[in-house]
Every structure is written in C-alpha cells, then in structure tokens.
Amino acid sequence: MTELTKLTLAEARDRLAAREISASELTNAYLSAIEAANPSINAYVAVTPERAREMAARSDEKLARGEGGALEGIPLGIKDLFATEGVHTQACSHILDGFKPPYESTVTANLWADGAVMLGKLNMDEFAMGSSNETSHYGNVVNPWRRAGSNEALVPGGSSGGSAAAVAASLCLGATATDTGGSIRQPAALTGTVGMKPTYGRCSRWGVVAFASSLDQAGPITRTLRDNAIMMRSMASSDPKDTTSVDMAVPDYEAAIGRSVKGLKIGIPAEYRVDGVPEEVDALWARGIEWLKAAGAEIVEISLPHTKYALPAYYIVAPAEASSNLARYDGVRYGLRVPGEDIADMYENTRAAGFGTEVKRRVLIGTYVLSAGYYDAYYLRAQKVRTLIKRDFDLAFEAGVDAILTPATPDAAFAPGAFSGDPVQMYLNDIFTVTVNMAGLPGLAVPAGLNRDGLPLGLQLIGRPFDEETLYTLGHVIEEAAGRFEPAKWW
Amino acid sequence: MSVDIDTVKRVAHLARIKVTDDEAGKMTGELNTILAFVEQLDEVDVEGVEPMTSVVKQEMKKRQDTVTDGGYPDKVTGNAPASDDNFFMVPKVVE
C-alpha cells in the first residue's frame, strides 16, 4: 500500500485514467497512511473516511465510463479554513466549536466537480494567524522533517502547517491552503513541498473563513511542480459570488512546465539580503541564480526600496481587517456561547473563551489602529506605504523583469516555543513572503536544497499579476536542478 | 505611540473581549512591542501617495438586485447555540 502513496499526483492521475489502479484502492491507501501517521504528525483535525470512499467509488464509475475529470479519483486534504458542507469547518478555533456549514466553498466545489476525493480537514493556526502552527485549538502539527540525528520535534511552519505536513508525509496527494502573509509559501519551504500563492483574485474567497480580506488568497501545496500546476487549474475560477474574483480564463498551468526560460529576465532584489540570515540561505539563493542562468535566463539586479516596510505595514492592515472580520463571532449564530449577565456580557465571555492568545492580540491591535484618532496615523499611512510597495514591483516589471527570485524564508524549520516570548520575532518569519501579499502578486515556493542539519530550504519566485505560468516554468527549472526532497519516515 | 493598561482594557471592551487585569497587563507589553515595530513606518515619505484600495485593476463587479438564494431558515439557524422556531435566541435585550 505504501507504494501507492508514493505516486505523484500526475502519476496517479495517469494510472487512474489508464485503469491500472482504482480510486478506491488509492483512497484506502491514504486513509491507512493517515491512521498510522496522524497520532504523531497531527496534520488532520477531522478525517472523513466514509465520504472519501463514496467519492472514490463514484470516481471509479466515472473512470470506467471514460468520463473522468481533471482530478478524478485524486485524494486531497482540505485546510480547515474552507467551508465543506456538513463537515468540520472551524478555522481550528474554539469559537467555531461544532460548526458544520450548510454550504460548500467555491474552491472545494471546483475540486469536487473535477473529481477529487476529500480525505478530511487539515490543522492550521487559529484563523490562519501564525507562522508555526502553534496557535491551533487542536494542538501543534509536527513537521515530518527532523534534524539529522535528532528526535526533537520541529514546527511545519504556518498557518497552513497541516497542509504542508500532510503533503510532505504523503498523507494526501495535494492540499488546499491559504496565504495572507506567507501561510502557503513559508510552510511549503519548511517541509520541502511546493506552494503557490496565486495572484489576488485568481481563486474565489467565497466560503473561505475570512482573516484579512484584501490579502487572503487560496492556493495548492503539493509534492511536485507539475502536481501543483494541475491542482491550481482546478482551484482557480471566476466566481460571481466573490466580487474580487477576476473575469479571466484559467490557463492550462501544466502546459507551462518544460517551456524554455531562454531570455526571461530574472530580478534579484538587493533588499532581500538581510542581516541575521544564515549563510546557507544566501548560498542557496546564489545556486538558484546559477541554475536559472544555466537554463538561459538573464539575471538582473533590481531594487525594491520599500521592502523593509512591508512587514510593519502588514501588521497594521491585516489585524485591522481581522478585527472587523472576526466581529461576527458573537455566540449568537454559530459556534461557542458562554452565558453572561446580559447580551454584552455574553459576547465578551464568549470571545474571551473562544479566541486564543494570538487572535486576541491581533483583534486588539486592529481595534486600536482603527479607533477614533488613530486611523490616519496607522491604517491610512500603512495603506499608503502599501501603494509604494506595489509601485516598487510595478517599476521592476515595467523595466522588463519577468520574475523575481528570492529566498522563501529566513531559515529552516525551528522548534516549538522558539519565538514564544516575542510576537515580533515570530512575525519576521514572513519577511520575504509578505511583500507579495501586500502587492497582490503571485508567489511560488520551491524546495531547493537542505541545510547542514538536513532540513529543507526553499526559494521563492514572484511573478507579474496573473502570470503564474512563468512561475511554473521557472520553478520547474529549479526542481530539475535541485531534485526532490522527502523526509525519512519515523512515524 | 504606546498604550497603557487602561487603554488596553478600553480597546478590549470595544472589541467585546473580556480581559482580566493580569491579561491586560501582559497584553499591554505585547501590544507596545508591536506598536514600536510598526513605528518605523513614520520614516516613509507618504506625501501625495494615494492609499491602496485594490491590488488588482478591475472595476467592482455588479449584479442584478434580485433574490437568488434563501428560503431555508432552518439551515440558517441550524448552527445556532440557541434557536427557537427559526429565530436566534439571545438574552433579553429590551425590558
């Protein structure tokens, strides 16, 4: 059975279509793998074996008739942030206790329409707020990767820690994830997996629990570039239910893999060389540059002068939007209710018991920066800085740059509690990824090597708006040169 | 700018989150760390810069103002901690 879970998504798709394997046996192989691994990894917060077997059986019927969709019979894990009809959807928060939505998110509906099979819901930082998957109400996710010769548990990154860990440990063929400041790319980099945050507007946000609406985007985490391109095509759509969803046809991203990169101009931003980043990360970046150059791309030095202001601006904009979005959790319409003396007391008790420390911290910061007298000094200024951050990228692209190469994270996976005393130190994990959300651009994290402890490190490619295809083309060059990385199985 | 414990308590009340004195004290320190971190934005010259309203150049989509969904109050109230006869139940708010 383990052999079946070693197939890539593309290989499984081809063998399913050729009727060499069945969707039911593939799904059962994954359900067994989850049963064996989840007590150690804690990637799934809800497994849906009955629904998975039903969906797989239906896929087998379709495949027998030769009517399979693009993902027919492919078992996937779904981040707990996506509404799935009748199934656990709690953003891994206590305040959504018992919530089972009577509707389906557009992204997951697209996946099921293309024939995918749901294995269950994946662990994450509460309301997608975190970079280590330590804020989940359902406990930490454990990274399938460990330092060479060590048994110490490491974090998988966050907020899509369950998605990244499940993919890295072969507990699904691919996983949905979301990215507000780096929540797809940082965990992908820390687990040796491929993570794409598409352009803002490419995937519908309808039915995705909102964190910071102007930054949130859904995307896939997979084991290979090709798998990622296949899944991306099914997740993306134009959706009348989301006014920020764009009316653009979804390209065949898989076709972009293997295209020539000859003559593509790759920008290397000077501002991404920051103090305190280990030499290995810089060395990896230099290797990435050499790989792209060897494949025929042209390397150019660029400047993105407002880079250092992206993270502080993010920590005004994102909490402000979160404080507004999370106002709906009041103990009236869904989830937890803690009684009080009157209705206001009930609200306050419910939110005190239902939200974790990081969520409270961000709601308070957001409420403060939006409060009377502070709006101009904080929120308005941050939104102006955001305009400048986007302008930096616009100017680089206008000058002919096709994509930008940077490290994905400042370092490899770390131990739980490493940043527990200082929220700002934890926030610095997103220093290379957060600019991309602020400017709404597509960003791809690709595994590119291992550090001296044997832990994966990733590179990030940033593209022009809606040019995910070029990122897949370039990412594939890195994947071919670097090879693929899998954790040694200890669970 | 920094906040004191009374400001934190006031903001927590605005956000409808009950905090104990201990929690408010701890949060005061954490919030001040974050506020000190975001203070570097003061260095940026934003004179004449428009605030960002949308990262994607697209006109806001409009739809027909018609009823396209609904008619299932049992589903709407299905997840409520307390409901009766398709109403959400809350503590008494009028005397």
Side-chain angles (χ1 to χ4, degrees):
Chain A
M1 284 307 227
T2 40
E3 203 187 293
L4 278 178
T5 61
K6 285 295 156 206
L7 297 173
T8 66
L9 191 156
E11 287 164 357
R13 171 193 64 181
D14 296 345
R15 292 181 64 171
L16 283 163
R19 311 278 295 134
E20 290 165 20
I21 58 172
S22 74
S24 297
E25 59 180 332
L26 186 62
T27 294
N28 281 324
Y30 273 104
L31 290 171
S32 307
I34 294 166
E35 208 180 317
N38 213 45
S40 315
I41 308 279
N42 198 29
Y44 282 85
V45 293
V47 187
T48 52
E50 279 170 35
R51 180 170 304 210
R53 291 194 180 101
E54 268 172 38
M55 291 173 102
R58 239 176 297 144
S59 286
D60 279 328
E61 287 168 23
K62 278 195 170 172
L63 288 160
R65 294 196 300 266
E67 292 169 3
L71 291 174
E72 201 66 59
I74 299 292
L76 300 177
I78 303 300
K79 189 178 183 180
D80 201 35
L81 207 63
F82 293 83
T84 42
E85 194 176 346
V87 174
H88 189 289
T89 301
Q90 290 179 212
C92 284
S93 177
H94 186 40
I95 209 159
L96 271 167
D97 232 18
F99 181 61
K100 290 189 167 68
Y103 53 86
E104 188 80 27
S105 81
T106 298
V107 163
T108 49
N110 289 344
L111 294 171
W112 315 144
D114 274 353
V117 170
M118 176 165 71
L119 292 169
K121 300 302 284 287
L122 293 164
N123 207 339
M124 55 180 283
D125 278 301
E126 183 182 6
F127 283 110
M129 297 179 190
S131 305
S132 62
N133 218 119
E134 291 174 276
T135 73
S136 167
H137 180 60
Y138 296 92
N140 296 356
V141 174
V142 176
N143 195 327
W145 289 86
R146 289 168 161 182
R147 293 192 185 97
S150 167
N151 287 335
E152 189 192 14
L154 299 175
V155 305
S159 68
S160 309
S163 304
V167 171
S170 295
L171 307 181
C172 57
L173 270 173
T176 63
T178 59
D179 191 315
T180 304
S183 284
I184 290 175
R185 292 156 289 155
Q186 186 256 11
L190 267 45
T191 56
T193 55
V194 180
M196 170 68 96
K197 183 207 90 78
T199 315
Y200 185 81
R202 183 65 286 181
C203 287
S204 170
R205 291 181 297 108
W206 196 83
V208 183
V209 176
F211 162 14
S213 304
S214 78
L215 302 160
D216 298 344
Q217 258 297 289
I221 294 182
T222 57
R223 296 206 279 273
T224 74
L225 254 294
R226 183 177 296 275
D227 292 1
N228 205 280
I230 294 167
M231 198 169 155
M232 185 68 233
R233 189 185 188 186
S234 291
M235 286 175 74
S237 66
S238 179
D239 183 7
K241 288 192 250 180
D242 174 2
T243 53
T244 61
S245 145
V246 292
D247 292 323
M248 285 172 74
V250 179
D252 178 1
Y253 297 114
E254 195 182 359
I257 289 177
R259 275 183 201 151
S260 168
V261 302
K262 206 152 271 175
L264 286 182
K265 226 183 221 184
I266 310 301
I268 308 298
E271 291 78 7
Y272 281 63
R273 290 181 207 289
V274 295
D275 290 340
V277 168
E279 225 174 275
E280 294 171 288
V281 172
D282 260 341
L284 186 83
W285 193 11
R287 269 210 301 284
I289 292 170
E290 288 311 312
W291 290 331
L292 294 180
K293 206 191 276 181
E298 186 192 335
I299 306 296
V300 291
E301 295 286 331
I302 61 166
S303 176
L304 302 168
H306 294 90
T307 298
K308 71 176 267 209
Y309 301 112
L311 204 56
Y314 174 85
Y315 275 97
I316 291 172
V317 174
E321 293 184 15
S323 76
S324 167
N325 273 326
L326 271 58
R328 72 191 70 178
Y329 305 105
D330 56 5
V332 173
R333 287 155 295 165
Y334 26 64
L336 186 73
R337 169 183 290 193
V338 179
E341 286 166 19
D342 51 31
I343 192 163
D345 200 44
M346 186 268 280
Y347 295 151
E348 293 201 1
N349 288 341
T350 299
R351 290 163 66 82
F355 290 146
T357 309
E358 182 61 28
V359 173
K360 285 181 191 169
R361 196 181 283 147
R362 297 204 198 186
V363 168
L364 291 191
I365 281 282
T367 306
Y368 178 69
V369 300
L370 291 177
S371 63
Y374 296 105
Y375 179 87
D376 286 5
Y378 287 112
Y379 188 73
L380 200 65
R381 174 169 280 267
Q383 288 289 52
K384 288 179 179 175
V385 171
R386 201 172 163 190
T387 299
L388 294 172
I389 292 163
K390 183 168 188 298
R391 190 177 295 166
D392 286 352
F393 283 107
D394 289 346
L395 291 173
F397 292 133
E398 278 165 27
V401 166
D402 293 291
I404 294 163
L405 182 73
T406 76
T409 56
D411 208 344
F414 47 91
F419 300 113
S420 60
D422 186 349
V424 170
Q425 284 305 312
M426 178 67 92
Y427 298 167
L428 290 172
N429 264 288
D430 291 336
I431 190 165
F432 297 138
T433 47
V434 77
T435 51
V436 174
N437 302 76
M438 294 302 266
L441 302 171
L444 175 71
V446 191
L450 301 177
N451 74 357
R452 76 193 64 184
D453 293 323
L455 296 177
L457 291 170
L459 290 172
Q460 174 179 236
L461 286 157
I462 304 168
R464 295 164 179 266
F466 302 104
D467 191 14
E468 285 81 4
E469 287 169 279
T470 298
L471 301 189
Y472 281 121
T473 302
L474 290 163
H476 187 62
V477 171
I478 294 172
E479 184 182 56
E480 291 272 281
R484 280 175 51 202
F485 306 94
E486 278 180 41
K489 196 172 173 215
W490 53 264
W491 54 89
Chain B
M1 273 180 273
S2 65
V3 292
D4 57 21
I5 189 162
D6 290 335
T7 308
V8 170
K9 285 184 184 170
R10 186 177 57 84
V11 171
H13 178 65
L14 283 176
R16 298 291 181 266
I17 298 175
K18 193 168 277 182
V19 289
T20 63
D21 286 348
D22 267 8
E23 286 169 329
K26 194 157 175 271
M27 282 178 185
T28 305
E30 290 168 353
L31 261 52
N32 281 326
T33 309
I34 298 169
L35 291 172
F37 174 65
V38 303
E39 223 158 65
Q40 43 180 314
L41 294 180
D42 293 347
E43 300 164 17
V44 187
D45 181 6
V46 293
E47 191 62 39
V49 178
E50 285 293 309
M52 170 81 78
T53 49
S54 170
V55 286
V56 174
K57 273 186 214 144
Q58 182 179 252
E59 205 178 314
M60 179 73 90
K61 284 194 262 186
K62 296 169 193 73
R63 58 168 172 75
Q64 291 299 314
D65 187 16
T66 52
V67 177
T68 57
D69 199 2
Y72 40 74
D74 48 326
K75 270 191 175 185
V76 174
T77 56
N79 274 290
S83 69
D84 190 15
D85 199 18
N86 295 332
F87 285 95
F88 294 110
M89 302 298 282
V90 295
K92 199 167 168 184
V93 286
V94 280
E95 290 304 323

